[in-house]
Amino acid sequence: MTTRLALAFKNLGRNRRRNLATASAIVLGYAGLILLGGFVTRIEKFFRATSVYVNHIGSLSIYKPEGVEKHLLKPRKYSLSPDEQMKARQVLERIFPQHEGIGASLHGFTLVGNGCKTWPVRISGLEPALEEKLLKHWAVEKYAPELLNSRRGKALWEFKNMIPILVTEKVARNLGKDNLNLDHSLPSSAPASTTVPDCNAADFRAQSSNDPNVQLAGRTFQNNFSAIDAEIVGFYSSGLELLEESAAQLPLEALQKLYETEAVTKMAIYLPWDTPVEENAALLNSELKKAGLDLEVHHFKEFSVNPFYAGFMNLIYVMSAFFLTLAVCVVTLTVSDTMTMSVLERSKEIGTLRAVGFKKQQISRMFSEEGTLLGLLSLPVGLLVAWTVTLIVNAAKILFEVPGISTRLEVVLEIDPVHCAVAGVLLVTVTSISGWITSVRTSRRQIVKLLQSHVS
Amino acid sequence: MKSFKMGVRNTLNNWRHSLGSMLSVAIGFAALTLFNGYISVVQDMYEDNYRQRSMFGDVMIEKSRNGKAIDFEDSRINEKEQQFIENFITENRSLVDQHARFLIVSGFANNGKSSAIYWGFGYDLEKGRQLRDPTWPWNSKAGKPLDLQSEDAVMLGEDIGDTFGCVPERNERLLTKVGGYTAVERPFRCERPNLQLTVTTDSGQVNAMAVTIGALGGVGLRGIDSWYLMMSLPKAQALHDTRDISHIRLRLKDKKMFGTFVERFNSAASSAQLELRAFDWREHILARVYKRTMSLFLIFRDLVSAVILTISGMSVLNAMVKSVNERQREIGTLRSLGFRGSRIISIFTTEGVVIGLFGSAVGGALSVVASLFLNRVEFIYYAGFLSDPVPFVIGLVPRLYLYSLFILCSIAAIASFFAARRAVKISIPALLSST
C-alpha cells in the first residue's frame, strides 16, 4: 500500500505541468462548488431566521386539522381552545425539553383607522415576552440583521399598561402616521381620554401625523363588530415585500380582546437551530395523538405554512443540483482525459510492471491512487481559493436584492464544513474512479503489445 | 481557407490528441448550453407570466411628477389625460397592437362569515383578454375568464379564494406544455358565492359593493395570489367613485419599436403639458419580483459559466500543450523549411478552432439528446414564485448554441496559440532533436 502510494506520488511529479492543469480544474470545480454552497447557505439561513423567528412560523407549529388553510375562513372552528393550548404546551415541554421557546399566536384581519381613514391589515397577536426572546435570538442577529436594522421605535414588550401596535412603514404612510416621532418617549400607559378628530379641519393631517393613537376594528369570533384603541409604538418589517403593504402586530392578549376569544390560531415551538424538523414533526404528531389531541403538526420547510421559503429554496436547490451535476461531469471528463493521456504514454511502463509480476488490479489500483492523490492534493488548494474569495466578497460588503424580500441583503458567503466534505468526497471519488477506469483497459492488453507500444 | 484545410487535416492526423481536447470542448459546450438552456426557459416562464398572463404587455403609461415616477398607488390618470392617450394611440396605430386601462383596487372583502384583504385591478375586460393573447386568453383555473361573464363577477387568486372557502372541484395540473390553460370551464364551489367589497376612497369615504365570485385564477405568483382580485374597470371605478384610472398597459406590434413609441409619447405628453410617462413595464415597482428573480438567475448563470469555462479552458490548454509538445519535430521541420513562427502559430491556432468546431458539434449533439431526454422525463417542481408546478425543461435556443460555439472556439484557439507560441521559441536544432 505504502509502496503503491509512493509510486503514485512519484508518478504525479513526472508530468507536473499536465497534472497541474488537471489539478487546477479540480481546484476550480471544488472552489466553485464551495462558493455556490456558501451563497445558497447564506440565502437559506436568512430565510430560515426570518420565517422561523421574525415571522413566528416556529421550527414546528401546531394547528387544528386543516387549520392552516381555513383559520381565516372559520376562525372559531379552526383555532386552538385554551384547553388544547395547555395540553399541547405540556406535550411540547415533555418531549422537547431543549426548546428555546414555546408560544401561541393569533392571526386575522382588521381595519386600522386614524379616526378619518381606515386601512385593512393582516394582524398577528404575539406573546411579547417570547417576541423579545425571538428578536434577540443569535440567529436573527447573525443571519437577518437587515430586518432588525429596519425596525424603528420601540417594541411590544416595552409596554405594560397600554396596547402597543407595530405597523409596517407603508401602513403608517397610508394612515398619515409615517412622520411619528417614535424615538420620543411614548407614554407607558394609555392616554386618559381620546378626542374625536375633525376630519375636515385644515390641520387634521398635521395633528394626525403626531398622534400615535389608532383604532382597530374587526369581527369577533362570534361574528360581532368589535373595536379597540392602540398606540403605534414602532415600525417593523416582516422581510416579505408582499406583507409590507398591510401588516401589523400587537400583543396576543389585545388581539384576543378584539376578537373576543381566548383561542389562538397556532402554537409554535422554537427548537435549537440545527435540530432536524421532519422527524421531530412526526414525533410530535404521534405524541399529540397519544395525548388525545386531534391537532396537526407542520414544520417550517413545508409549503403550506411557509410557501415563500419552500418555493424559493426549491428553485435554488434545483439550480444548484443541476450545476453540481454539470460541474462533476466536466471535472470527471477533464480528469479522465488527463488520465487517458497518461495511461497511453505509460503503456510500456504498464507492460514492464506486468512483466515483473504486477497484477492487472494492482496496476489499476495504482492509477486509481494517482487520481485519488491528485484529488486530495487539489482539495486544500480549492479550499484556500474559496476561502480567499469568501474573504474578499465578505469584505466588499456587496448588497444584493432577493426577489420578494423587502430589504437588500449583504452578500455574506459562508463556508459550510459539511458542503466542503461532501463536495470533496465527491470529487476525490470521481478522480479515483477516472484513474481506475482509464487504466483497466490498457492493463488488460497483452504484455508483449504493451512493451512494443509507442505513443503516437 | 488553406490554413483551415491544414487545420482539419492536422486534427484528423493527430486524432488521438485532438480527441482529448475535443472531449473537453464538447463537455464544456454541453454543460454551458444545458445550464443556459434551463435558465432561459425559467426566464421565459417568468416573462410569459408577467407580459401575457398578468397583462403587462410591453409599455406602461402612468402619471409622473417632473418627468419622474411617482408612487404607483398615487397614480391617477383623469379623463382628459385618458382621452389624450387614446388619441395618441389612434394616431400611432401602426405601432400599437393592443392596450387596456387598469385601476388599482384594494380594501376589505367579506362574505358574511370571513373577511380578507384584497388587492388587484379593475381593467377593460375584452382588451385585457387581447393583451393575454395568444397564450393566456383563458386565465381561470376554475370558472370562466371575466370577459365571458357578467360585469358583477370577480376573479379571485387561488389562495384568497381558499380564505372564502372557494375550491376547484378537481385538483389537476393545468399548465399546458406551451404555457396557458386549456379553454375549458372547470367547476368550483364556494361556501358563499357573493362577496362584499369595501374600499376607502381618496376622499376618505368608505364605499361598498356586492360582487359574485365568478372564477379562481390570479396571476400565478405565490404570495400575490393570496390577495389578488380582478374585476371589470367600470365596477372598480364605481367602487372607488371615480372616472380615473391608475395606468394603461400596451402591447406593441413590434417590440423593436419600443424606443420610438416611448420617445414619441413622452415628447407628445410633454408638449401637451401633461404629467404622463411611458416606460418599460420592467421598470415598474410591480415588476420588482420579476427583476430581482432575473438578476438572481444572472448571478447563477455567470457563476456557473465562469466555472465551466475555466475548467474546460484548462483542459483544452492541457491537451493542446501535450499535442504541441509531441509534434516538436514537425514544428522543427517546418521552421527549417522556412516557415515563420507566426505562420506555425496560426496553423496551430486554426487547428484549435477546428477542434473547437468539432468539439462543439459533438457537445451540441450531446446537449440536444440530453435536453430531449430530460424534457421527456417531465420532472415537476415549483420554480420559486410561480404558483403552478412546472416541468423541468431545457430550452434548445439557437442563440445560446452560437454563443457557446463562439466562446469555446475562442478558448480552444487561445489555448492553441499559447501552446504553439512556447514551442516556436525553441531553437530549430532543439526542436528537431526532441523525442
Side-chain angles (χ1 to χ4, degrees):
Chain A
M1 176 71 184
T2 328
T3 322
R4 273 205 321 265
L5 266 179
L7 261 176
F9 194 75
K10 266 189 190 167
N11 284 336
L12 281 180
R14 274 166 56 186
N15 237 316
R16 230 170 287 154
R17 193 177 294 136
R18 184 188 312 146
N19 287 327
L20 209 63
T22 313
S24 49
I26 302 169
V27 164
L28 280 165
Y30 188 52
L33 289 177
I34 293 176
L35 290 173
L36 183 75
F39 183 62
V40 173
T41 305
R42 158 66 171 138
I43 296 181
E44 196 276 335
K45 285 182 174 169
F46 172 80
F47 283 148
R48 197 186 332 171
T50 306
S51 50
V52 173
Y53 303 104
V54 181
N55 292 326
H56 309 95
I57 286 171
S59 311
L60 303 175
S61 48
I62 303 172
Y63 286 82
K64 278 276 204 183
E66 294 188 84
V68 177
E69 300 83 16
K70 296 185 176 167
H71 70 272
L72 293 170
L73 175 67
K74 291 178 183 167
R76 201 168 154 190
K77 185 176 173 187
Y78 292 102
S79 296
L80 278 74
S81 67
D83 184 46
E84 286 170 325
Q85 291 169 47
M86 192 193 67
K87 285 183 180 165
R89 203 179 276 269
Q90 282 168 355
V91 173
L92 288 168
E93 292 279 6
R94 181 168 52 81
I95 59 171
F96 301 118
Q98 79 282 23
H99 72 82
E100 295 176 333
I102 296 174
S105 58
L106 179 60
H107 304 271
F109 292 109
T110 182
L111 286 169
V112 187
N114 62 5
C116 294
K117 189 180 179 184
T118 56
W119 190 258
V121 294
R122 187 174 274 210
I123 197 152
S124 303
L126 312 167
E127 292 178 7
L130 179 68
E131 171 74 349
E132 180 177 10
K133 211 170 169 184
L134 296 181
L135 289 183
K136 289 179 180 168
H137 194 279
W138 67 268
V140 178
E141 285 173 354
K142 188 173 178 190
Y143 301 127
E146 295 86 353
L147 294 186
L148 294 179
N149 296 339
S150 65
R151 294 175 81 93
R152 281 174 56 202
K154 299 198 172 183
L156 294 181
W157 62 84
E158 293 177 63
F159 300 88
K160 305 277 181 230
N161 303 318
M162 57 180 267
I163 300 178
I165 181 169
L166 296 180
V167 295
T168 60
E169 288 209 37
K170 285 219 167 180
V171 171
R173 203 198 63 180
N174 286 325
L175 293 169
K177 308 271 187 194
D178 46 331
N179 289 322
L180 273 179
N181 188 359
L182 294 165
D183 296 324
H184 182 264
S185 60
L186 285 150
S188 57
S189 58
S193 65
T194 46
T195 50
V196 179
D198 176 4
C199 301
N200 297 319
D203 62 343
F204 168 71
R205 276 188 91 87
Q207 267 184 22
S208 170
S209 70
N210 291 322
D211 181 10
N213 181 264
V214 286
Q215 301 80 50
L216 308 182
R219 277 175 188 272
T220 65
F221 273 29
Q222 287 72 34
N223 225 9
N224 298 321
F225 182 77
S226 169
I228 56 169
D229 269 291
E231 311 296 315
I232 296 179
V233 297
F235 300 154
Y236 82 106
S237 170
S238 64
L240 299 177
E241 214 163 23
L242 291 166
L243 288 178
E244 294 301 290
E245 285 284 332
S246 49
Q249 294 178 340
L250 84 166
L252 174 65
E253 223 175 296
L255 192 58
Q256 285 178 324
K257 189 177 157 196
L258 177 69
Y259 290 155
E260 292 176 1
T261 181
E262 289 185 328
V264 297
T265 307
K266 66 167 187 190
M267 302 244 351
I269 183 161
Y270 301 85
L271 297 172
W273 181 255
D274 275 328
T275 310
V277 286
E278 289 89 346
E279 301 96 275
N280 283 316
L283 172 70
L284 178 57
N285 218 353
S286 74
E287 289 296 320
L288 288 173
K289 294 274 173 295
K290 277 184 206 163
L293 291 166
D294 183 22
L295 299 173
E296 205 173 72
V297 179
H298 296 273
H299 57 77
F300 76 91
K301 292 179 184 172
E302 280 179 44
F303 228 101
S304 57
V305 288
N306 202 358
F308 188 78
Y309 173 94
F312 196 76
M313 290 316 297
N314 206 352
L315 178 67
I316 297 275
Y317 287 144
V318 168
M319 286 206 288
S320 305
F322 194 29
F323 171 54
L324 178 74
T325 314
L326 292 176
V328 167
C329 285
V330 173
V331 171
T332 310
L333 265 140
T334 306
V335 176
S336 308
D337 192 15
T338 315
M339 285 292 176
T340 309
M341 281 197 258
S342 191
V343 169
L344 282 175
E345 264 176 14
R346 284 153 63 188
S347 297
K348 270 190 187 174
E349 183 188 317
I350 294 171
T352 313
L353 288 172
R354 291 276 316 277
V356 297
F358 271 69
K359 285 182 195 161
K360 288 171 201 167
Q361 293 99 314
Q362 280 177 310
I363 293 166
S364 300
R365 222 175 290 156
M366 190 180 79
F367 276 95
S368 170
E369 274 155 13
E370 236 178 275
T372 312
L373 212 57
L374 188 65
L376 284 174
L377 291 173
S378 309
L379 294 190
V381 187
L383 194 60
L384 188 72
V385 171
W387 181 72
T388 313
V389 174
T390 301
L391 281 185
I392 296 168
V393 170
N394 291 354
K397 297 202 177 298
I398 305 161
L399 292 174
F400 78 113
E401 292 180 327
V402 179
I405 294 295
S406 54
T407 52
R408 297 217 292 171
L409 299 191
E410 196 180 309
V411 183
V412 184
L413 297 175
E414 212 175 286
I415 295 182
D416 183 348
V418 179
H419 281 168
C420 295
V422 172
V425 169
L426 195 69
L427 288 179
V428 171
T429 312
V430 157
T431 51
S432 172
I433 292 173
S434 303
W436 187 77
I437 290 173
T438 43
S439 59
V440 158
R441 251 184 71 191
T442 314
S443 59
R444 274 188 197 150
R445 284 166 65 193
Q446 284 178 359
I447 298 173
V448 182
K449 283 192 177 165
L450 282 168
L451 288 169
Q452 283 171 346
S453 65
H454 63 95
V455 182
S456 65
Chain B
M1 196 58 203
K2 211 170 165 186
S3 290
F4 186 76
K5 273 186 188 166
M6 205 181 279
V8 175
R9 212 179 303 140
N10 281 342
T11 307
L12 296 174
N13 286 343
N14 298 289
W15 68 271
R16 197 172 269 171
H17 296 307
S18 309
L19 198 67
S21 318
M22 238 187 281
L23 259 177
S24 307
V25 172
I27 191 71
F29 187 95
L32 215 57
T33 46
L34 284 172
F35 195 80
N36 285 322
Y38 164 68
I39 293 282
S40 91
V41 166
V42 185
Q43 279 179 326
D44 287 349
M45 276 184 210
Y46 271 85
E47 175 131 350
D48 169 66
N49 212 77
Y50 275 84
R51 280 195 72 231
Q52 293 197 42
R53 186 175 185 175
S54 305
M55 301 175 276
F56 274 93
D58 296 311
V59 183
M60 283 178 83
I61 297 173
E62 212 174 58
K63 280 290 274 193
S64 62
R65 197 164 295 132
N66 302 324
K68 289 184 180 155
I70 57 166
D71 191 313
F72 74 103
E73 281 174 310
D74 293 338
S75 170
R76 285 282 183 274
I77 302 176
N78 62 32
E79 282 184 280
K80 185 184 148 205
E81 290 162 334
Q82 288 174 48
Q83 194 52 54
F84 168 80
I85 298 169
E86 287 297 337
N87 292 342
F88 181 85
I89 290 172
T90 314
E91 284 164 22
N92 289 276
R93 263 281 151 235
S94 58
L95 297 178
V96 181
D97 184 21
Q98 305 294 346
H99 73 284
R101 297 174 302 159
F102 288 78
L103 174 65
I104 294 172
V105 287
S106 69
F108 225 41
N110 191 299
N111 69 351
K113 261 179 115 180
S114 50
S115 43
I117 298 169
Y118 69 88
W119 187 95
F121 295 103
Y123 68 99
D124 293 317
L125 297 181
E126 180 53 31
K127 289 181 173 178
R129 185 196 58 75
Q130 288 165 359
L131 273 179
R132 294 197 302 271
D133 274 343
T135 322
W136 286 97
W138 194 280
N139 63 343
S140 57
K141 276 190 166 179
K144 288 187 289 187
L146 292 183
D147 47 281
L148 302 177
Q149 299 199 41
S150 78
E151 274 210 345
D152 284 340
V154 295
M155 178 187 277
L156 294 181
E158 227 186 335
D159 297 338
I160 191 176
D162 259 355
T163 308
F164 292 115
C166 297
V167 281
E169 296 275 354
R170 288 190 302 272
N171 217 343
E172 50 191 330
R173 220 185 95 215
L174 302 173
L175 211 59
T176 64
K177 276 193 171 176
V178 288
Y181 298 148
T182 24
V184 176
E185 187 181 351
R186 286 164 284 266
F188 70 100
R189 59 173 192 278
C190 278
E191 292 249 330
R192 294 182 177 191
N194 297 318
L195 280 182
Q196 189 178 45
L197 305 181
T198 53
V199 295
T200 308
T201 65
D202 294 341
S203 59
Q205 183 187 319
V206 177
N207 279 0
M209 176 184 277
V211 292
T212 314
I213 303 170
L216 298 177
V219 285
L221 292 173
R222 198 161 285 282
I224 293 180
D225 280 353
S226 55
W227 317 82
Y228 207 67
L229 178 144
M230 287 194 273
M231 64 197 302
S232 75
L233 182 64
K235 279 278 167 191
Q237 287 177 323
L239 182 61
H240 272 272
D241 192 20
T242 183
R243 301 288 298 160
D244 295 350
I245 57 165
S246 301
H247 57 252
I248 288 184
R249 301 175 189 177
L250 303 100
R251 190 171 69 198
L252 301 177
K253 283 186 175 153
D254 181 358
K255 271 203 263 183
K256 286 179 200 146
M257 299 308 285
F258 171 81
T260 314
F261 177 85
V262 167
E263 205 181 304
R264 263 192 220 173
F265 179 85
N266 288 344
S267 86
S270 161
S271 308
Q273 295 189 319
L274 294 174
E275 296 219 283
L276 293 169
R277 190 175 75 102
F279 56 95
D280 187 345
W281 64 269
R282 291 173 191 83
E283 288 171 29
H284 199 274
I285 200 153
L286 290 173
R288 202 156 45 182
V289 167
Y290 169 86
K291 240 177 134 175
R292 289 181 177 180
T293 309
M294 291 306 114
S295 43
L296 189 77
F297 286 152
L298 291 185
I299 294 177
F300 259 84
R301 193 199 64 185
D302 293 347
L303 179 67
V304 171
S305 301
V307 172
I308 290 172
L309 285 175
T310 319
I311 298 176
S312 301
M314 288 285 184
S315 182
V316 176
L317 182 67
N318 202 6
M320 287 312 293
V321 166
K322 171 155 174 52
S323 173
V324 171
N325 280 350
E326 282 183 358
R327 285 154 68 192
Q328 282 190 359
R329 272 194 199 175
E330 194 182 309
I331 295 169
T333 313
L334 290 172
R335 291 279 311 276
S336 62
L337 286 173
F339 273 69
R340 275 188 299 184
S342 57
R343 178 87 177 106
I344 293 166
I345 291 173
S346 96
I347 290 171
F348 275 97
T349 308
T350 315
E351 202 176 314
V353 174
V354 172
I355 288 170
L357 286 173
F358 282 155
S360 299
V362 176
L366 203 70
S367 181
V368 170
V369 172
S371 303
L372 292 176
F373 171 74
L374 288 169
N375 294 353
R376 238 182 124 80
V377 172
E378 276 211 9
F379 158 64
I380 304 292
Y381 72 110
Y382 282 97
F385 287 95
L386 300 181
S387 56
D388 285 309
V390 294
F392 182 87
V393 175
I394 296 170
L396 294 165
V397 189
R399 178 176 46 86
L400 288 178
Y401 279 66
L402 285 174
Y403 159 80
S404 305
L405 176 78
F406 173 74
I407 296 276
L408 283 156
C409 283
S410 306
I411 286 179
I414 292 167
S416 310
F417 172 85
F418 282 110
R421 202 178 66 158
R422 226 186 92 252
V424 294
K425 281 181 185 163
I426 303 169
S427 65
I428 297 173
L431 283 168
L432 287 170
S433 61
S434 66
T435 50

